[in-house]
Each structure stands twice: as C-alpha cells, then as structure tokens.
Amino acid sequence: MKKTSRREALASMIAGSAALVAASTMPAGSALAQEEKVNVTFIIYTAAGDPFWNPVIQGAQEAAKDRGVSVDIQYADSDPVKQNNLIETAIANKVQGIALVNWLPDAFTANIAKARAAGIAVITFDTDDPKPNATESQAYVGQDFFAAGQRIARKMVEAGDLKKGDHVVAPVEDPDAFYGTERYRGIKAALDEAGITSERLDASPTMATAMTRISQYLVGRPDTKAVIGLGSVVTEVGPQAAAEANVTPVIGGFDLSPGIIDSILSGKMVATVDSGAYYEGYMPIVMLYYFVKYGVPPSSIPIGGTVIDKSNAELVKKWAGTYR
Amino acid sequence: MTIPSSTPLLALKGISKQYGHVQALSGVDFQINRNEIVGLLGDNGAGKSTLVRIMSGVEFPDSGQVFRDGQPATIKSRKDSEKLGIETIYQDSALVGSASIMRNFFAGRELTKGLGLLDTHKMNAIVMDILVNMVRISGINSPDILVEALSGGQRQAVAIARAVYFKTAMLLLDEPTSALSVRETAKLLEHLAELKREGVSAVFITHNLYHAYESCDRFTILSRGQVIGSLAKAETSVRELNDLIVKY
Amino acid sequence: MRQPIVNICLFFFVLQVICIVASLLYPNDFRYVSQTNIGLLLRAIPVLGIISLGVGVLMITGEYDLSVGSVYTLAGYSIALLFGMGLPVWLAVFATLAIAAAIGVTNGLITVKFAIPSFIATMGAMLVVRGVVRWLSEGRTVSFKPDETFSDLLTGSFYGIEAPFIWFIALALLTGLLVHKSKLGNHFYLVGGHEKTAIAVGINSHRVKVIAFALASLAAAIAGILSITRVGTATPAQGIGLELKAIAVCVIGGLFLSGGRGTVLGIVVGACLMYMVEDVLLLLRAPGFYLDVFVGAILVVAVILNTWLTRKAGK
Ligand SMILES: Nc1ncnc2c1ncn2[C@@H]1O[C@H](COP(=O)(O)OP(=O)(O)OP(=O)(O)O)[C@@H](O)[C@H]1O
Ligand SMILES: [Mg+2]
C-alpha cells in the first residue's frame, strides 16, 4: 500500500501544482489519465427512488464528468447482505474506488478492509460508523448528525422562545433509522442543557398516518412547544398536523423538499437543516479520482448541517431537486 | 312430442376419461331410466365419482356421447346439467358449512328483486316451508342456522330438500351415507323412497351393499373404469353383487 | 356469522363508554371527547377503513391482496400527475380508478388462471406497482392542489361531520348492500366458504374472485385519492404496511383468514377500533416512540378476546 501511494504522490508532484487543471482540461499530464477512466462503484443504501438521493446522484455524475471517472451507481435496497455483495462484486471487478454509505455499524467493516487490502480506495458518505476510525474507510463526507441535531434544536429554542420545563416532540418515519437516532441524540443533548424535555414519536412513513399520529400526540400533550421532524416526511407534515390538532408549536426539522421550503417561506415552519446532499455525491468521486491518479489522500469533510430559514430558503427553492 | 316411457332419461355411451396416466373410465355405457333408482357400485377408485362428475358437468369426458330423452346433449358446465334436470349431492361437498341453510339452499339460484338484490324474505319462507312440510327434518327452526351447526343427516336432508324444490329429474348421490349414523342413514333411505314416489330418479353410490340392495331398482357395477355388469334387483342378490365386486 | 360481530361491537361500545366517561371526568388530562380529537379520528379512520372494506370483501372470498399499499401510493401519483398534465380533476379520478381496477383484475386473473396463492400473486404486484411508482415519480414527491369544490367534497365537512368519514360510511353501506344483500355477495361467501361446492352449484368462482380483486384495488385507490387530497403531497415510501394493517382490521372485525365469514359492520368497527387504540394511547401519553409495542399487544388481545367470546357463545 505504502509503495503505491508514494509512487503516485511522486507522480502528482511531477505534474506539479497544475495537476488539477491538467487532469480535467489538458491532453498533457500522464498518458494514463487520458486513456483510462477511473472506475468507481457508488453504492446508495436504499432502493432506487428515494428523492433524497437526487442531488447526491447529480453531484456524483457531475464530478464523474468533470474528472473523467466512470461511475457505476448501485442500490443496496436497505439490505446489508445485498450491500456486502455489491462491495464484493466491486472488488472482483477490480474497480479503483468505492464510495458507500456505512449505515449499519460493523456490517461493512470486514468488506471495507478487504477492498482496501485489494488496493481499492474507499470513501464513506452520508452516514458513517459513529466510532472514530472504526473502519478502514479513508474519509467520510456527510452530515454530522449529532451536531446537526444540536444546531436545529438551538434554532428552535431561540425561535420558539422555549424555556426550562417546556416540552418538545421529535417524530421520525422509522424508529430504527440511524439518522433519526443520531439526530435525536444531538437534539436531546442541546435541549437537556436548556432543561427542556423531549420525546421521540414513531410516526410511520405514510404521510396521512404520520400526520394523524403527530396530531394525536399534540392533542394528548397540548403543552408541547416545538415539533422537530427527524426526517423529510415527518418534517413536511408538521405544520398541517399542528393545524389539525388546533395548537401552535414552533415547527422545524431536517432535509429539503418543495413542501418544506414552501412552509418555511410562508412562515408555517421555522427552519430545516440542509444535508448538503450535492457534495455527498460530488466530493467522494473527486477525492477518489485524485487519490487513484496522484495519491492525494482523501480527507473527511463535514458537509450540510446548514440551517435553512426564511432568510435563505428562496435560493434553495430555485435549485431544489438538482443541487439542493 | 311425447317420449316413450322406455326411453332412458339419461343415457351415456362410450364415456372415457383419463387423468394423466390413469384411465379413470374407458368406454362406459350408463343409463338412468324413468322413476328408477340406480345403484352405482364398485371398489375404491373404480371411477364412480368420476362418472358422477361428468354427469354433473364438473368434468368433461375425453370421448363419448350423452342423450337426454333420446336426444343428443352436451354437458359442459354445471349450468348445462342443471338444464337437463340433474342435481348432485357430493361425497365431500354438498353444502358450504360457513353459510346459512337458506344461502346454501338457493346457492347459485338465488331469487332476486331485480338489480341483483336478494329477495331474502321470500327465500326464507320457501326454505322453512320445504324443510318443515316436505322433508320434515327435526331440530331446524330457522333458515339462518349455519350449515356447519347441522348434523351430517340434517345436511343431507337440506341437500335433498333442495333437489325436491328445484324439481330435479335425476338426483346423483355420491356416498351420501358415509358420514351418517344408523338412524340418519335410515332416514335418508326413506327420503330416497319418497323422492322416487314424487317421480325423481336417482343414482346412489355406496359401499354398503345392503343399503344399495334395499333402496335401488337396478345396479351398475364398475371396475377399473369399465362396466362389468348391469343387473335388475329382481335378477340378483346382495351376495351376487358382492362376488362381482370382489372378483374383479 | 352473527356471533363474532356482536362481541366486537360490544367490546367497542364498552371501550367507547369508558373513554367518554374518563374524558368527562378528566377533561384536561384525557381530551378524548374534544372537538379536535373527534375531528382527527373522523379524518384518520377512513383511509385505512376504506382499504379494509376492499380487502375484507376479498378476504370473504378466501383471497388476500398484498398490493393494496402500493396501489394506494400509485393512486396518489396517478391523480396528481394526470391532474398536473391538465386533465380535468374528475377525469383524473376516473382514470386512476380505472388503472386500479385493471391492476385488481390482473391480480385476480393471475391468481385464478394459474391457480397460484393470491399471497404470492399480489406480493408480486406489490413490488411491481411500487417499482412503477418509483419510475413514475423518479423518486420525487408530487403535490396535488385541486380546486376548492373538489377538495371540499372529499375533505371538507358537512354539518360538522368530516367529509372523509361520510365517504367511508357511504362506501361501507354500499359494500354492505353488495355483500349481504346481493346475489353476487352471496357468491362471495359461498366461494370463500367452500370453493368446490360453489363450483358444483354452478357459481363461476373465477369470475367472482376477479371481481373481488378489482374491488380491493378500487378501494385502495379511493383511499389513495382521499389521502392525497387531504395531505396535498404523495411520497414514494408511503403506504408500506397498509396491506397487513388492513388484514388486521378485518380479523379484529371478525373476518376469517380462511374466508367465507364476516360482516361489513365488523370491518367498520375494526377500523374504528384500530385507530381508537392508537389515539387513546397517544392521548394517555404512552411513549410515542414505542407505540407499536402497545398497538401490537392490544391487537392480539382484542382478537383473542373476540375468538374466546365467540367460542364460549358457540358452546
Ligand atoms: N382429479 C383427479 N386427478 C387424477 N386422478 C384422478 C382424479 N380424480 C380421480 N382420479 C383417479 O381416477 C380413478 C377413479 O377415481 P374415482 O374418484 O372416480 O373413484 P371412485 O370409484 O369414486 O372411488 P371411491 O369409492 O374411493 O370414491 C382413481 O384411480 C383416481 O385416482
Ligand atoms: Mg368416489
């Protein structure tokens, strides 16, 4: 391993500081760069079709075009066995890089190590094992769920003027979802600090059901001062759920969707947290490329986590579904 | 057109039926005459039930012809056999247990008030009338009782009452007594005799030769899909029937 | 046929009385009899309730439909996309129902013609239809904002009663008429009770089952249309699990998994009971994150109770 990277590092030094430009535009640089594209397998952990991945895919594809990477996008259907099979197939196909979502701690550690041992570069995105250095993945590009949770909680406390002893509910689509667990940990940490109580609610991914459950919860606990949706569906139905329960808590959550942006623009929702999805696709491809070509070591990038409120929602709306 | 009374009600000629490699029936001739109870006898797997299913339109023969009152006829479905006046009481499935007496009685022949809506009132009245006055089964006081709550004998009685009401010309009974007590069996044989008085012919399948001998006018004996004998009651005995069946 | 329904109605009635009394005694802690909560229930019950009506009719004929959750989702997309393409809203409704009916007929034909378990046939349809939704939606949510007349008719309220609930009751009455009072309905029971016998008395069991499959799909589509009109948005992930919930509702309501038994009133009460359980739990501030634990346990207890009472009454 060391040997390869050193040689490639040398190559990149020879190419000099112009490497960046050279690789994408000039016929110069190494002959290798021209002839052979870098092959990368890009594994999305859900089934195809979740709108969340649209900007991620857009990012991956644009990076591939920019850098001359051949990217193969695969879906693991939320099945760890299938995802492991996909990794093994990628290893067998001798791709040069793998980007994957490490959505289940310990499930992919062995195969990541196997890929690295086979000389394949590995970068995780979107979700990673919460234990530092738990896997041999070289870098992680994604939201720090915990930090993002803290951020939205603080924003809601400020916007809703929440005080010690107030109560907050955090509905989630799927109680087992890792993003929900981690984001809630962040939210709870921030709220606990302020002496505010909180509880999660299993609301289901079906909008009508989620709306009813949130409403019923709010009727049962009319003292609830804020609703923070942990994912896009529950965040989207929040305002209408509160309206149907005849209460007026402040509402916020995670992710972007046309409905969420409209609610923010019309003042029915305070804020949401951007996942930085475009970069989740773009950055891993770029870093894999430079590592394979020139040995530039990948490095983790915390992205997303930007709070979107009325002040910056307009721009998000413009690029929703492609870059946002 | 008048039909001479000697013309059989139903005649089957050269009926064959194969299930995969099993030749269930091969060239079977069978007939039902006016005002006659035919005993259809034979060992297990002889082809008795297959013949009944063919006559009731649930199965279609590979070859052979059917005549009703001497006229060629085809029986391709239950509707066809119903038109020819054939009613069947099966070995294993005469009625639907989870449905009420009335709904079984009129199953497939429901009376409606138009628009496909059931005339429940009228059907209930008819069922009670028939059950109480004609078939005279005891212990049934409502047409809403589920059939599964009836005894085996009561069930057969309901099935027979149905045949009586719908003016069946021929009643096919496939082992109707197999699940009945001695008393219930006696009652059923009584019903059969009564039906005959009302002009209904019947085919009676049973493994009990005494029951057969007691109630039938003629016997047709099947063995491995072939007819090996057709005898009138007067020219045979239980013993001879027994020997015929066992010998082959 | 009568017994289980009497029990479940009694059970429902007793629960209602307890909840109402408790709510009157502690109006601030248990807001069951509040206008908001009643409104919520009346809006929430119809979605699952209408799906259950269709699934129930099919269950009476002895078959299942696991694709109703997917059809429910497809209907939302279908009406939103067709309406978005400029079709008049009623035409979009009609086309959506026609698509659903076609899916149901296909399910039915596959099940009866190839004589495979409907469990498998409709599981295939569940995956295929969901795949189609993904393809149609490209994974995106769609919104549906019809004119006021339409949305008021489906989701408004008449004399203080929520429109969805009125639709639910109207459909339940129609289903009741079909199932209990019509010739076709009688055939549903006979085919489900003992198919061989039904065939022997001349009932075309294939035709009867295909019709029931079509009704199940139609009901799911109606629920899908009602739900997107209320929420305004459809997501590709919605509707998963509704097929099993609908079967659970039917079983609570006294229908048999083996077919041939049950009443429409049972399905209605089952649907109300299902939502009442969730509602009461949330109003009582049961831990919302572990709601399924309680819901699951209560469902099983309800069915045990119903079965036990029925057996006892049968003796
Ligand atoms: N649906 C079927 N598929 C295949 N073989 C069949 C089928 N029905 C009947 N057979 C075969 O045809 C033959 C005749 O069967 P059938 O049921 O007519 O006999 P049976 O005389 O009624 O016998 P039993 O007295 O036992 O009722 C048997 O060998 C049986 O195995
Ligand atoms: Mg037999």
Side-chain angles (χ1 to χ4, degrees):
Chain A
M1 305 300 329
K2 282 261 161 58
K3 222 170 139 193
T4 332
S5 15
R6 206 169 291 149
R7 202 183 60 212
E8 290 196 359
L10 199 69
S12 78
M13 276 165 67
I14 294 166
S17 56
L20 242 152
V21 188
S24 59
T25 56
M26 285 167 45
S30 62
L32 214 82
Q34 257 309 300
E35 282 155 18
E36 276 175 43
K37 285 191 161 187
V38 171
N39 288 310
V40 171
T41 298
F42 192 89
I43 305 171
I44 286 172
Y45 85 92
T46 63
D50 186 332
F52 175 83
W53 302 108
N54 291 338
V56 179
I57 294 167
Q58 174 119 356
Q61 282 168 343
E62 288 191 2
K65 208 165 130 238
D66 290 352
R67 298 293 144 217
V69 170
S70 163
V71 61
D72 176 23
I73 295 177
Q74 294 288 340
Y75 297 88
D77 298 340
S78 303
D79 177 358
V81 176
K82 179 163 183 201
Q83 176 149 330
N84 272 316
N85 289 342
L86 288 172
I87 300 172
E88 280 169 11
T89 310
I91 296 171
N93 289 344
K94 300 200 165 50
V95 299
Q96 287 139 302
I98 300 174
L100 62 101
V101 183
N102 188 4
W103 52 282
L104 198 61
D106 301 331
F108 314 110
T109 312
N111 267 327
I112 291 173
K114 212 162 134 194
R116 292 293 297 128
I120 299 169
V122 177
I123 293 180
T124 43
F125 65 96
D126 188 70
T127 311
D128 204 15
D129 197 312
K131 302 185 287 293
N133 301 321
T135 71
E136 287 188 37
S137 158
Q138 293 161 282
Y140 167 60
V141 180
Q143 195 179 71
D144 180 339
F145 291 143
F146 183 83
Q150 287 180 307
R151 216 164 293 148
I152 187 74
R154 293 201 180 107
K155 174 81 188 177
M156 300 297 285
V157 168
E158 175 202 310
D161 196 15
L162 304 193
K163 299 198 174 49
K164 199 177 160 102
D166 282 346
H167 181 71
V168 172
V169 65
V172 64
E173 292 85 359
D174 172 3
D176 305 321
F178 181 69
Y179 66 80
T181 311
E182 282 299 297
R183 284 170 179 166
Y184 180 67
R185 229 169 39 86
I187 291 170
K188 189 166 184 321
L191 293 179
D192 282 354
E193 245 170 58
I196 298 164
T197 59
S198 63
E199 185 185 11
R200 271 177 299 175
L201 171 68
D202 170 10
S204 105
T206 301
M207 280 195 158
T209 312
M211 193 192 285
T212 303
R213 284 211 174 160
I214 298 169
S215 300
Q216 284 170 334
Y217 185 92
L218 293 175
V219 173
R221 296 211 58 167
D223 58 324
T224 305
K225 288 286 175 355
V227 179
I228 307 177
L230 295 175
S232 59
V233 169
V234 286
T235 302
E236 176 148 0
V237 298
Q240 202 178 335
E244 294 203 351
N246 227 346
V247 287
T248 51
V250 285
I251 292 162
F254 288 85
D255 296 344
L256 303 173
S257 77
I260 292 173
I261 297 304
D262 285 346
S263 290
I264 290 176
L265 289 173
S266 67
K268 287 186 230 157
M269 194 184 290
V270 172
T272 186
V273 181
D274 187 358
S275 70
Y278 182 80
Y279 278 153
E280 283 189 5
Y282 195 89
M283 294 318 292
I285 298 290
V286 169
M287 288 197 290
L288 286 169
Y289 173 81
Y290 285 111
F291 177 72
V292 170
K293 283 288 173 200
Y294 313 111
V296 182
S299 112
S300 294
I301 314 174
I303 48 147
T306 317
V307 172
I308 309 287
D309 57 15
K310 223 171 181 166
S311 66
N312 53 1
E314 203 57 68
L315 196 61
V316 173
K317 187 181 173 133
K318 192 170 166 197
W319 298 111
T322 51
Y323 291 90
R324 301 302 290 263
Chain B
M1 184 175 79
T2 53
I3 302 155
S5 62
S6 60
T7 313
L9 264 179
L10 190 75
L12 286 84
K13 298 246 156 75
I15 300 288
S16 296
K17 174 80 192 176
Q18 203 166 347
Y19 291 111
H21 294 296
V22 181
Q23 190 72 40
L25 294 174
S26 45
V28 166
D29 294 338
F30 182 72
Q31 66 181 53
I32 308 171
N33 298 316
R34 256 154 238 291
N35 212 22
E36 170 186 70
I37 301 181
V38 190
L40 186 56
L41 308 176
D43 205 355
N44 290 117
K48 306 180 295 291
S49 296
T50 306
L51 192 60
V52 164
R53 284 202 295 270
I54 285 172
M55 285 189 280
S56 50
V58 181
E59 300 266 14
F60 196 64
D62 301 332
S63 61
Q65 293 159 292
V66 178
F67 299 91
R68 174 75 215 266
D69 292 325
Q71 302 297 311
T74 41
I75 309 179
K76 282 209 159 162
S77 68
R78 169 65 195 127
K79 287 267 174 284
D80 291 342
S81 71
E82 192 183 323
K83 259 185 248 147
L84 300 182
I86 297 169
E87 189 76 22
T88 315
I89 298 179
Y90 285 95
Q91 190 167 1
D92 50 355
S93 57
L95 303 168
V96 177
S98 56
S100 72
I101 294 177
M102 182 275 269
R103 283 173 180 257
N104 267 288
F105 197 97
F106 285 95
R109 287 182 288 214
E110 294 86 352
L111 306 180
T112 57
K113 301 183 281 198
L115 286 173
L117 292 181
L118 298 173
D119 193 344
T120 314
H121 196 72
K122 191 163 165 198
M123 290 191 285
N124 279 337
I126 291 172
V127 169
M128 282 323 282
D129 180 53
I130 299 277
L131 288 181
V132 172
N133 296 324
M134 289 188 69
V135 185
R136 286 187 289 276
I137 31 177
S138 49
I140 296 179
N141 48 21
S142 155
D144 289 330
I145 299 175
L146 298 190
V147 162
E148 66 195 0
L150 300 179
S151 76
Q154 289 171 323
R155 281 180 215 194
Q156 298 289 5
V158 170
I160 287 171
R162 181 168 66 181
V164 171
Y165 177 75
F166 286 105
K167 301 242 178 321
T168 303
M170 288 160 275
L171 185 60
L172 316 181
L173 300 121
D174 191 348
E175 297 190 39
T177 56
S178 57
L180 301 190
S181 71
V182 178
R183 260 184 68 184
E184 286 175 333
T185 304
K187 189 99 189 220
L188 180 88
L189 298 181
E190 239 173 71
H191 286 317
L192 263 185
E194 221 169 284
L195 276 177
K196 192 182 156 192
R197 277 197 291 280
E198 297 195 16
V200 179
S201 291
V203 175
F204 183 25
I205 298 178
T206 176
H207 287 286
N208 186 322
L209 296 180
Y210 294 96
H211 291 161
Y213 196 76
E214 185 189 329
S215 47
C216 298
D217 305 307
R218 197 163 54 80
F219 307 93
T220 297
I221 299 139
L222 280 179
S223 175
R224 294 193 204 103
Q226 284 175 312
V227 177
I228 56 166
S230 187
L231 307 160
K233 180 172 181 165
E235 52 187 55
T236 187
S237 63
V238 172
R239 200 194 177 104
E240 190 188 359
L241 291 173
N242 187 55
D243 289 348
L244 263 174
I245 293 166
V246 173
K247 202 170 70 194
Y248 278 85
Chain C
M1 203 147 68
R2 298 273 177 276
Q3 280 305 329
I5 183 62
V6 173
N7 294 328
I8 200 72
C9 286
L10 212 71
F11 186 59
F12 182 68
F13 183 74
V14 169
L15 268 185
Q16 283 294 355
V17 170
I18 293 174
C19 287
I20 290 168
V21 170
S23 168
L24 294 178
L25 287 177
Y26 307 98
N28 289 324
D29 292 320
F30 184 57
R31 308 204 300 154
Y32 186 71
V33 193
S34 62
Q35 206 183 345
T36 319
N37 188 50
I38 293 170
L40 269 178
L41 280 174
L42 295 188
R43 274 189 302 260
I45 292 168
V47 171
L48 184 60
I50 291 172
I51 295 177
S52 303
L53 285 175
V55 167
V57 167
L58 186 59
M59 261 171 81
I60 289 172
T61 71
E63 302 289 347
Y64 302 94
D65 189 347
L66 294 186
S67 70
V68 289
S70 296
V71 171
Y72 164 87
T73 311
L74 178 70
Y77 272 93
S78 160
I79 191 169
L81 294 177
L82 290 172
F83 181 68
M85 277 160 48
L87 231 59
V89 69
W90 286 108
L91 219 57
V93 169
F94 182 77
T96 299
L97 294 182
I99 292 168
I103 295 171
V105 167
T106 311
N107 278 338
L109 287 177
I110 290 176
T111 303
V112 301
K113 293 295 171 205
F114 297 104
I116 61 171
S118 53
F119 194 80
I120 298 299
T122 58
M123 192 163 113
M126 165 176 111
L127 298 173
V128 170
V129 172
R130 195 156 287 282
V132 169
V133 167
R134 279 192 195 125
W135 173 74
L136 268 181
S137 65
E138 294 168 347
R140 283 157 220 247
T141 57
V142 286
S143 53
F144 175 59
K145 300 267 174 331
D147 58 79
E148 295 261 308
T149 353
F150 181 81
S151 59
D152 279 355
L153 198 61
L154 263 65
T155 61
S157 67
F158 296 97
Y159 303 105
I161 299 176
E162 302 291 336
F165 197 75
I166 298 177
W167 280 100
F168 174 46
I169 294 303
L171 287 171
L173 289 174
L174 215 64
T175 313
L177 195 69
L178 171 74
V179 165
H180 298 304
K181 302 278 178 211
S182 85
K183 187 166 169 164
L184 181 62
N186 196 35
H187 293 182
F188 287 154
Y189 281 98
L190 295 170
V191 166
H194 197 176
E195 191 170 0
K196 251 172 90 185
T197 307
I199 294 169
V201 296
I203 293 169
N204 185 341
S205 76
H206 286 188
R207 183 174 146 266
V208 167
K209 284 191 171 178
V210 170
I211 292 174
F213 272 105
L215 291 177
S217 258
L218 269 179
I222 293 172
I225 292 172
L226 216 60
S227 145
I228 194 179
T229 310
R230 175 178 167 219
V231 183
T233 316
T235 62
Q238 71 185 8
I240 294 171
L242 281 180
E243 54 283 334
L244 293 180
K245 259 195 167 170
I247 292 175
V249 161
C250 292
V251 173
I252 293 171
L255 271 72
F256 278 47
L257 289 175
S258 49
R261 289 160 213 261
T263 57
V264 171
L265 180 61
I267 302 172
V268 172
V269 174
C272 293
L273 211 65
M274 182 81 134
Y275 264 108
M276 213 183 122
V277 166
E278 285 188 22
D279 184 52
V280 168
L281 283 170
L282 284 171
L283 293 187
L284 286 175
R285 304 182 182 184
F289 193 62
Y290 308 101
L291 200 63
D292 280 350
V293 176
F294 302 96
V295 175
I298 290 176
L299 291 187
V300 173
V301 169
V303 174
I304 290 176
L305 210 68
N306 196 6
T307 312
W308 180 69
L309 287 172
T310 307
R311 288 242 176 82
K312 244 183 91 179
K315 273 179 194 158

